[in-house]
Amino acid sequence: MDDGVISVPAVLGARAMARCDLLGAPPYSEAADQLTRRFLTPAHRAALDRLTDWMRAAGMSVRLDAAANLIGRYEGAAPDAAALLIGSHIDSVRNGGRYDGALGVALGIDCVDALAMAGRRLPFAIEVIAFGDEEGSRFPASMTCSRAVAGTADTTVLGMKDAEGTTLADAFAAFGLPNVDLGKAARKPREVLAFLEPHIEQGPRLEAEDLPIGVVTAIAAQKRLLVRLTGTAGHAGTTPMHLRRDPGPAAAEAILVIERICGAGTDGLVGTVGRISALPGSFNVIPGAVEFSMDIRAETSPVRDAAVAEISTEIEAIATRRGLGVTIELMQDLAESPCDLALTTLLEAAVRCVGVEPRRLPSGAGHDAMVIADLAPTAMLFIRCKGGVSHNPAESVRADDCVTALNAMLAFIDNLERDYRP
Amino acid sequence: MDDGVISVPAVLGARAMARCDLLGAPPYSEAADQLTRRFLTPAHRAALDRLTDWMRAAGMSVRLDAAANLIGRYEGAAPDAAALLIGSHIDSVRNGGRYDGALGVALGIDCVDALAMAGRRLPFAIEVIAFGDEEGSRFPASMTCSRAVAGTADTTVLGMKDAEGTTLADAFAAFGLPNVDLGKAARKPREVLAFLEPHIEQGPRLEAEDLPIGVVTAIAAQKRLLVRLTGTAGHAGTTPMHLRRDPGPAAAEAILVIERICGAGTDGLVGTVGRISALPGSFNVIPGAVEFSMDIRAETSPVRDAAVAEISTEIEAIATRRGLGVTIELMQDLAESPCDLALTTLLEAAVRCVGVEPRRLPSGAGHDAMVIADLAPTAMLFIRCKGGVSHNPAESVRADDCVTALNAMLAFIDNLERDYRP
């Protein structure tokens, strides 16, 4: 390896992957035969205990913040230096994969271990952080913990209940954090130099281009919409085809419009119909209404919005031609969250430094980085995952890719030390 | 009126309609604000009590058979003569219309009333029958009561449970029929001369041709199928359009194929997709599978089967082209049930007799007549209903059409007396 990058034992990086595998079963999972590690459960606690051991072994001092984020700090050359945060989330979806989130935390620990083994101290501290709740798989909100760190948490979430009726506040208390005050987890901007989130890609692009890692440019702009087409319900046996006002074929045309427009799009444009239902939903009744969801994303809001407008116009024309009613309701509107350009350029240089052509790609999924962007400049490193599969037990990464990712992270730290002027 | 038809007070026929309106509210409905009269409920009992009064007033002797069918008998000139059965079902779907079923029973009573007022006795008896369960809206089976009369009842249905967990046998007991034996309701073929079922059309054809009544040729052949297209579930944000194996657009193409092929069909061909769902069914997940129902009907099985084959071939080609899995499962296969040709010819002559051009049309919906066909020759008279709407509170008929129907029924009885040689 050239360019002053620390040469680390090949076991590091691969060890991060092995540690995720260890965390994929009880006591670090709520279930014996799958990985489910939801926020503030005993499985979450067990994982934090294990991470604490690993952080300490790597030379970090460890604390649990007011929002149940675990933070290991590796001091810089001077005390109280601003910190580079490295990490991701430690919770999982139900029956999830082992690397989504956890790999970013484990790579952060290996990164500090490599620095500590080399005896290096930097002009900034490094803090490895394991956010508690990115997925929102227990309570009906997500990224609660990174919002607390960024100082943007909404305290009303503490009244939310899980499926068993436990409030978030009570769950914090049971976890050892009574009278929780999310505001106390907020960091001051001057304490945080930058945030680096390593994360599996959860998509197939890197694999398709035979690249182990990639650099995220932005988290995509997203709109969720609900389309409802209304006609006239009728008897499936007694209504001739030419006398029907059936919203089903209109919905079918609409789905093909979405596929065509997004398929021809640029800038990461994607469109998904994940949910569809016909009402009343009987075998022998012509539907009176059909509802379906649209999830439209692109790297930029203008590209996304142009697609939504074009699709909506075509759906309205279909409804008019078929004599149907139509409503298109906007359910969620998330603007794109660009990663910091200067930081991303340093990360790109680091990727090139470890012999990989730096591929810039957007993230179609949301991440803690988009929340932390309110606090500090952020960069994201994507790691290839098999088949792009995630949120699934089949989630899979390669050990050599994890080593490559770790080396790129260490090169990034070098670049940051040498070149970064925030 | 010519041709020896009895001239009846114009109130008859119109009274049948008014009686259906009366039966459309409590105590003849389970709900105050809609008509729901399910099998063996107190509303069913109240309706039978009222029908009993009306049958007796028309000169009939009344009994409840072993399957909870109410039967009023108007004796012929000789005792124990074989009977012409006239009637339909007295149960309704949830939130149904007032005339579906009930009108056929009420017209049967008016028919006997007209004969009794004229002092006429025929060489055959007339029995007006109110079948208890055609719709299957309480227990998961339909036409239980007409099957009992035809001697084709499946006794295992007695173990079926309604939504509250009550078995059909217990519901019979609560209705006053303990230790129910459906076999005891079976009629001997020599006891039954023929069956005439007057029923609203439940479709828009008569209205479209400005005809008050029509003659049913056959109950359509029907196949119910379940189509399952399988691809690969994925993250809606991270999977580029060209790397997806999304079964949604394939299902969309299939729905348009069904509309095109059935729209171009003949012989009453209709095709309906009443139910559709995407799995897992989240806004932000590309479906791994899409399931939808197909209900395909035509006047004849060959026409229906040719359409099913053509549609299936096209769906399989769509799946192949898109790299998807596909299964097409046959859920129900009902052959067409032709009405008796000789009897239908007599009914046609009767319709002409009351000044209406006899329009022959198939029934897309199933009826008790298709079950009674196993016992005796059957004919069906359709009565125009507004907009073809049925199974809906908006179900509507015209009083003058009911009078026309009654006159045609009486003319049919004349024709039967004069010409019918079974």
Side-chain angles (χ1 to χ4, degrees), chain A residues 202 237-238 244 259 272 322 364, chain B residues 202 237-238 244 259 272 322:
Chain A
Q202 302 184 281
T238 59
R244 297 181 176 207
E259 186 187 45
T272 303
R322 289 177 172 271
Chain B
Q202 300 183 282
T238 59
R244 297 181 176 208
E259 185 187 45
T272 304
R322 289 177 171 271

Side-chain angles (χ1 to χ4, degrees), chain A residues 257-396:
Chain A
V257 162
I258 294 164
E259 186 187 45
R260 172 169 51 76
I261 289 176
C262 294
T266 56
D267 300 283
L269 181 67
V270 287
T272 303
V273 174
R275 189 181 289 181
I276 181 166
S277 60
L279 302 169
S282 297
F283 258 72
N284 60 345
V285 178
I286 301 162
V290 170
E291 275 189 357
F292 62 88
S293 65
M294 293 200 294
D295 180 315
I296 311 289
R297 307 189 198 196
E299 290 170 42
T300 68
S301 294
V303 169
R304 175 201 63 175
D305 292 345
V308 168
E310 190 181 350
I311 290 166
S312 299
T313 300
E314 289 212 28
I315 291 176
E316 281 155 9
I318 291 164
T320 300
R321 174 163 46 77
R322 289 177 172 271
L324 303 170
V326 62
T327 59
I328 303 178
E329 187 184 354
L330 181 64
M331 307 294 282
Q332 192 176 74
D333 181 354
L334 296 173
E336 66 273 29
S337 174
C339 292
D340 181 75
L341 184 60
L343 213 57
T344 298
T345 304
L346 290 186
L347 185 58
E348 257 187 318
V351 169
R352 188 173 287 113
C353 201
V354 298
V356 176
E357 179 59 28
R359 170 75 157 92
R360 295 185 153 219
L361 72 173
S363 170
H367 292 288
D368 290 302
M370 64 198 285
V371 169
I372 298 298
D374 287 336
L375 172 71
T378 61
M380 280 197 78
L381 180 70
F382 265 176
I383 296 127
R384 163 167 59 185
C385 65
K386 190 174 174 184
V389 173
S390 182
H391 285 192
N392 191 304
E395 201 177 82
S396 178

